[in-house]
Amino acid sequence: MRSPLPDELATITTWPRLKRYRYFFEEAIRTNHIWTLYKNRWARTETNGYHTFPLWPSEAFATICAIEEWHQYKPIQFTVEIVLTEVIPMLDNSLLFPSIFQTPTDSGSVINTQLLKDELLQLM
């Protein structure tokens, strides 16, 4: 599994939100991994009134978002299966919405857990 190179990271993070959204799901299925941040608790944020749980398509993208209040957080990897069977139920129980592919300057796409599940299963 190859991580994006620095030039690719810089380019991809400037893509429009919808393009990053599609890239997230393609990469998740291609690599069988989804990333978030953790330090004694999961990274969370609030976006447009929603309590969100950020998800990224690679460790590199999660790492570049480990800034400000998350500066000591570390990337944590899930398999797609773990997201489907454990993370989505945890999000539902916690009333958290997935935030797909945030960047340091954009909050990403906030979706519901059913859409996260549907998108992943559709591409499998």
Side-chain angles (χ1 to χ4, degrees):
M1 163 182 16
R2 181 182 74 78
S3 287
L5 301 172
D7 288 345
E8 291 175 310
L9 281 172
T11 299
I12 293 169
T13 58
T14 65
W15 287 353
R17 194 177 288 171
L18 182 57
K19 188 172 181 178
R20 288 194 328 270
Y21 178 87
R22 289 181 186 136
Y23 177 84
F24 169 85
F25 286 101
E26 291 167 1
E27 284 296 294
I29 296 304
R30 185 183 71 76
T31 64
N32 193 37
H33 293 108
I34 294 174
W35 295 81
T36 194
L37 294 171
Y38 184 85
K39 180 190 175 258
N40 300 323
R41 70 180 207 116
W42 300 111
R44 296 177 181 189
T45 191
E46 188 171 327
T47 304
N48 299 324
Y50 294 99
H51 295 282
T52 63
F53 185 83
L55 298 171
W56 291 276
S58 76
E59 179 180 16
F61 291 113
T63 299
I64 63 170
C65 290
I67 56 175
E68 297 174 3
E69 73 268 19
W70 297 336
H71 76 279
Q72 293 184 335
Y73 282 59
K74 302 293 181 210
I76 298 291
Q77 169 187 295
F78 300 118
T79 64
V80 170
E81 183 66 25
I82 293 295
V83 169
L84 291 169
T85 61
E86 296 179 31
V87 174
I88 288 175
M90 183 262 308
L91 296 178
D92 286 338
N93 288 335
S94 302
L95 302 176
L96 292 169
F97 289 80
S99 177
I100 305 299
F101 205 158
Q102 289 183 221
T103 70
T105 60
D106 184 80
S107 60
S109 299
V110 177
I111 62 174
N112 64 47
T113 54
Q114 186 61 52
L115 183 56
L116 175 61
K117 182 178 181 178
D118 291 348
E119 294 275 17
L120 290 170
L121 291 173
Q122 180 180 0
L123 292 172
M124 291 177 84

